[in-house]
Amino acid sequence: MRQHRQPELVEGSLPVFVFPTELIFYADEQTSHKQVLTLYNPYEFALKFKVLCTAPNKYTVVDATGAVKPQCCVDIVIRHRDVRACHYGVYDKFRLQVSEQSQRKALGHKEVTATLRPSASQEPPSPRSQDEERRLKEQLAVSEFFEQTASCHTESRPVAGGPSLLTVLLGLVCMAALMLPTLGEQEFTVPVYLHLSINKKLVAAYVLGLLTMVILRT
């Protein structure tokens, strides 16, 4: 009898689902100095993960390495420990790198930006210009863990008019689903029928990841 074998995954090809994809810390809000990243594993096999950072001296990551069981999720606590004015507006980056339990090679990764702002009550910053966006991407691209191999090629794509309204609405629905309480949590401010199971949240994370890839390609 021939044993069923799982197809070998190419290094770096596995989609990684993390929420949120941006961490914003506020200097005047002590509660915001602690943020939680949720890593979802919608696959049929267990994953081990490692959290890397471009500015490790500014943050404390609780359980920077660990494992996620199949079709489960884990919370990763990140604390900002260097809240000073000289760090306002500086963009740092976390990379969540995942691999199979029995292998060392990274099957996939996901980047999460982090920034410190003076106060949540202040006016939001004006939209960044294209030059500022380009400089920010270049700054993040030279990070230690952000180096790209020679096998990666940038494809030229026509400029599109942006994602459709249906895509945006579906993405908002998935984000709202991820922010709802999990089934079994004692959350009295939200009706019980809005408490979602882990499986439903995994589906929402999977769809949100697909939508994100679609938006980035448009």
Side-chain angles (χ1 to χ4, degrees):
M1 183 176 180
R2 182 175 298 178
Q3 185 178 3
H4 175 71
R5 297 181 59 187
Q6 179 179 313
E8 186 176 354
L9 294 169
V10 179
E11 185 173 358
S13 64
L14 188 73
V16 179
F17 303 102
V18 182
F19 186 84
T21 56
E22 181 182 15
L23 300 177
I24 301 178
F25 302 87
Y26 296 103
D28 64 343
E29 290 188 11
Q30 185 70 29
T31 56
S32 75
H33 298 175
K34 173 184 174 182
Q35 302 276 349
V36 178
L37 285 176
T38 302
L39 174 63
Y40 296 88
N41 179 12
Y43 304 106
E44 299 294 332
F45 51 90
L47 294 175
K48 60 181 179 181
F49 68 88
K50 177 188 296 185
V51 182
L52 306 175
C53 182
T54 57
N57 294 331
K58 293 165 60 176
Y59 305 92
T60 297
V61 181
V62 180
D63 296 331
T65 59
V68 196
K69 296 180 181 179
Q71 299 182 354
C72 292
C73 62
V74 295
D75 289 335
I76 303 169
V77 178
I78 297 178
R79 292 187 176 92
H80 202 304
R81 61 180 184 179
D82 194 4
V83 180
R84 292 184 294 168
C86 60
H87 296 315
Y88 291 169
V90 177
Y91 282 85
D92 301 315
K93 210 159 195 183
F94 291 92
R95 165 174 283 190
L96 280 84
Q97 187 171 288
V98 301
S99 58
E100 280 192 274
Q101 288 276 27
S102 58
Q103 298 184 6
R104 291 186 177 182
K105 67 178 182 180
L107 295 180
H109 62 264
K110 183 78 171 182
E111 282 79 29
V112 176
T113 58
T115 183
L116 176 67
R117 296 180 182 176
S119 175
S121 61
Q122 292 185 356
E123 289 289 332
S126 58
R128 293 190 293 267
S129 65
Q130 291 184 354
D131 290 339
E132 290 174 329
E133 289 283 357
R134 179 177 52 81
R135 285 196 296 268
L136 174 59
K137 290 181 180 179
E138 290 176 352
Q139 176 186 355
L140 295 175
V142 297
S143 302
E144 180 181 353
F145 58 77
F146 216 67
E147 296 179 357
Q148 296 185 0
T149 61
S151 61
C152 295
H153 300 280
T154 303
E155 297 181 359
S156 299
R157 298 181 180 271
V159 178
S164 66
L165 179 60
L166 179 61
T167 301
V168 174
L169 290 177
L170 187 55
L172 292 175
V173 170
C174 292
M175 292 177 64
L178 292 173
M179 289 186 289
L180 288 173
T182 305
L183 196 63
E185 292 183 356
Q186 294 184 354
E187 178 60 55
F188 301 105
T189 58
V190 179
V192 178
Y193 61 84
L194 290 179
H195 291 209
L196 301 181
S197 64
I198 289 293
N199 288 337
K200 290 182 179 179
K201 287 198 171 186
L202 288 173
V203 172
Y206 182 77
V207 174
L208 184 60
L210 293 178
L211 292 175
T212 301
M213 290 188 290
V214 170
I215 292 174
L216 291 176
R217 291 176 180 177
T218 56

